[in-house]
Amino acid sequence: MKIFSLRRSFATTVILMAFSIGVPLIAQLRVRVVTPGTTFNTEGAVAPGVVQNVPGGRRFRGRAGSLLKLRAVMRIPAGSVADMQRLVVHFHTSAGGPRLRRVEVRNGSSAAFSLATDLAGDYVARETTTPDIVANMWDFKSQPRKVSSQTIIRLEVQFPVGFDSAIDPGEFVLTGVGVDFPRSLASETIEEHPPISLGVGAAVIYAIPSNNELMWYRHDGRNDGSFRWSGPKTVGSGWSFKQMFSGGGGVIYGINDAGELMWYRHDGLSDGSFRWSGPKKVGSGWSFKHVFSGGGGVIYGINDAGELMWYRHDGLNDGSFRWSEPKKVGSGWSFKHVFSGGGGVIYGINDAGELIWYRHDGHSDGSFRWSGPKKVGSGWTFKQVFYGGGGVIYGINDAGELMWYRHDGHNDGSFRWSGPKKVGSGWSFSQIFVDESAS
């Protein structure tokens, strides 16, 4: 009751102030929601090393003269439809390198916004609307653009070409795309929950021992398989779910015996502190042999018929009940272990211990577009196996040893590996998974 009264008095005070100063104050109240650079992927297949997470965002490299098309599902406030009032793209390019040639916001086949650009340089913190030739921010206050939880942000990046000799085409690092929406004083429905980020090179691992405590570990040597760790720390108790998996940014999903899908967000993700949001019930009837996150709110489930089902939880960040319609994207999926490799990549281990690589090129919208399968390994006989991000795969053998592998060909399914390395012992857990932010 005290919290409610405080909020009501605060809202009343702001409204009275608005009337005393004028209506424009209300019009200026906005909330910004950022779609992180790490959620963007290329359209179609790309060569190894083209896409890589780096501190502050995601790096894209291309061949000389190539045009990369990047896309991500726009993050919006709670609700299925919103008014976009402003758009800003934060990025930086190497000197003499690529240029941002087009920015689009698409609702299905129609464009809510499309503009040819010619931008290069450091726009990580810069936000400018004039002159047009250097603008990276566009204002729609007079004519807000309707967007939804299925709206796509699309960027085109052109890499330079050398005429007389070979050149280094450079790199494009995307920090994120921010969108400003009107903030309502009359309700509490808009909540901005930007994803919690980890330093590149670390993987947070959650594990459930026999006493149902939730344990937090951080493998600081994730990138190179070195034995550098933080933790363990106990960050929860009573975690008795049939299946558990990460949604990224501290979000954890659990499916209980009643088939209910529960949402939690570990706000202490980065340091293992005991800070939480939730739980919230975000689904029912969840009965799958395997279920795992594909990143960006996408969840895959394999049913008893071997059908691979695609879901997208558009309320991923705040636990709101907003979903995109489920779609069947595959059949004949019969594996002992199956897990996401980020960017649409899915790994499956069959009864023969073969590691099979697939890439769901339609993972962002659930369309039936695939690359693979390709056999990328054999002899994968682990009690538990899970993805750690950046091509890293962890496996726990019968001796309780935690083994580190890095699939350097994970973007295209080529047979290129680093490892294995032993990075732990005594790993005996009923369930184990890595926060998807590492992907």
Side-chain angles (χ1 to χ4, degrees), residues 6-294:
L6 179 60
R7 285 183 176 176
R8 184 172 58 185
S9 328
F10 173 75
T12 304
T13 303
V14 173
I15 291 170
L16 289 173
M17 287 175 62
F19 278 114
S20 66
I21 328 176
V23 176
L25 173 63
I26 297 179
Q28 292 169 6
L29 292 171
R30 297 190 185 94
V31 58
R32 174 165 293 184
V33 180
V34 176
T35 302
T38 52
T39 64
F40 281 77
N41 288 290
T42 59
E43 293 184 353
V46 294
V50 168
V51 183
Q52 185 178 10
N53 286 351
V54 296
R58 178 162 286 184
R59 179 174 62 199
F60 298 89
R61 289 173 169 161
R63 299 186 307 275
S66 65
L67 179 69
L68 280 188
K69 298 176 181 179
L70 317 179
R71 63 160 51 206
V73 177
M74 178 184 288
R75 294 187 173 178
I76 69 170
S80 58
V81 179
D83 288 328
M84 177 174 67
Q85 293 188 335
R86 183 178 291 164
L87 175 74
V88 59
V89 182
H90 288 295
F91 66 95
H92 69 84
T93 64
S94 52
R99 308 185 75 86
L100 179 61
R101 289 293 193 180
R102 180 170 292 276
V103 178
E104 288 186 337
V105 175
R106 303 195 65 83
N107 295 316
S109 58
S110 64
F113 173 71
S114 181
L115 182 70
T117 60
D118 188 22
L119 302 178
D122 187 354
Y123 284 86
V124 170
R126 188 176 177 183
E127 295 188 355
T128 182
T129 57
T130 56
D132 291 343
I133 194 169
V134 295
N136 70 318
M137 184 165 69
W138 301 274
D139 208 314
F140 314 113
K141 284 184 297 185
S142 59
Q143 291 183 314
R145 313 296 171 92
K146 289 290 184 185
V147 294
S148 74
S149 57
Q150 298 185 35
T151 294
I152 298 294
I153 303 170
R154 191 170 180 270
L155 308 176
E156 293 185 4
V157 180
Q158 180 72 60
F159 288 81
V161 62
F163 292 102
D164 299 326
S165 60
I167 65 166
D168 179 2
E171 59 187 36
F172 177 86
V173 178
L174 181 60
T175 303
V177 177
V179 178
D180 289 352
F181 300 95
R183 181 186 292 274
S184 171
L185 289 179
S187 69
E188 300 290 333
T189 58
I190 294 179
E191 298 181 58
E192 185 180 11
H193 292 297
I196 304 163
S197 63
L198 284 173
V200 172
V204 166
I205 301 175
Y206 293 100
I208 312 290
S210 56
N211 61 3
N212 290 333
E213 291 181 333
L214 181 64
M215 305 301 297
W216 176 97
Y217 298 79
R218 193 179 68 218
H219 186 201
D220 299 314
R222 186 277 306 263
N223 274 359
D224 59 3
S226 56
F227 197 91
R228 294 182 292 115
W229 289 88
S230 298
K233 299 181 181 180
T234 301
V235 294
S237 59
W239 287 74
S240 54
F241 291 99
K242 290 194 304 180
Q243 292 160 308
M244 291 177 60
F245 57 98
S246 167
V251 171
I252 298 175
Y253 294 98
I255 301 175
N256 60 26
D257 291 332
E260 296 172 324
L261 181 65
M262 305 301 295
W263 175 98
Y264 299 78
R265 193 181 66 230
H266 184 203
D267 299 317
L269 162 72
S270 60
D271 59 2
S273 56
F274 198 92
R275 296 181 291 115
W276 288 90
S277 298
K280 298 181 182 180
K281 177 181 171 183
V282 293
S284 57
W286 283 72
S287 177
F288 294 101
K289 289 195 302 181
H290 300 283
V291 61
F292 55 97
S293 170

Side-chain angles (χ1 to χ4, degrees), residues 255-378:
I255 301 175
N256 60 26
D257 291 332
E260 296 172 324
L261 181 65
M262 305 301 295
W263 175 98
Y264 299 78
R265 193 181 66 230
H266 184 203
D267 299 317
L269 162 72
S270 60
D271 59 2
S273 56
F274 198 92
R275 296 181 291 115
W276 288 90
S277 298
K280 298 181 182 180
K281 177 181 171 183
V282 293
S284 57
W286 283 72
S287 177
F288 294 101
K289 289 195 302 181
H290 300 283
V291 61
F292 55 97
S293 170
V298 171
I299 300 175
Y300 294 98
I302 300 175
N303 59 26
D304 290 332
E307 297 172 323
L308 180 65
M309 303 300 297
W310 175 97
Y311 300 80
R312 194 178 68 222
H313 184 202
D314 298 315
L316 162 73
N317 286 336
D318 60 2
S320 56
F321 197 91
R322 297 182 291 118
W323 290 87
S324 295
E325 182 180 356
K327 298 178 183 179
K328 176 183 171 182
V329 293
S331 57
W333 284 71
S334 177
F335 293 101
K336 286 197 307 180
H337 303 285
V338 61
F339 53 96
S340 169
V345 171
I346 300 175
Y347 293 96
I349 300 176
N350 59 26
D351 290 333
E354 296 172 324
L355 181 65
I356 308 297
W357 176 97
Y358 300 79
R359 193 179 64 222
H360 184 201
D361 297 318
H363 78 282
S364 62
D365 60 3
S367 55
F368 197 91
R369 297 181 291 115
W370 287 89
S371 298
K374 298 180 182 180
K375 177 182 171 182
V376 293
S378 57

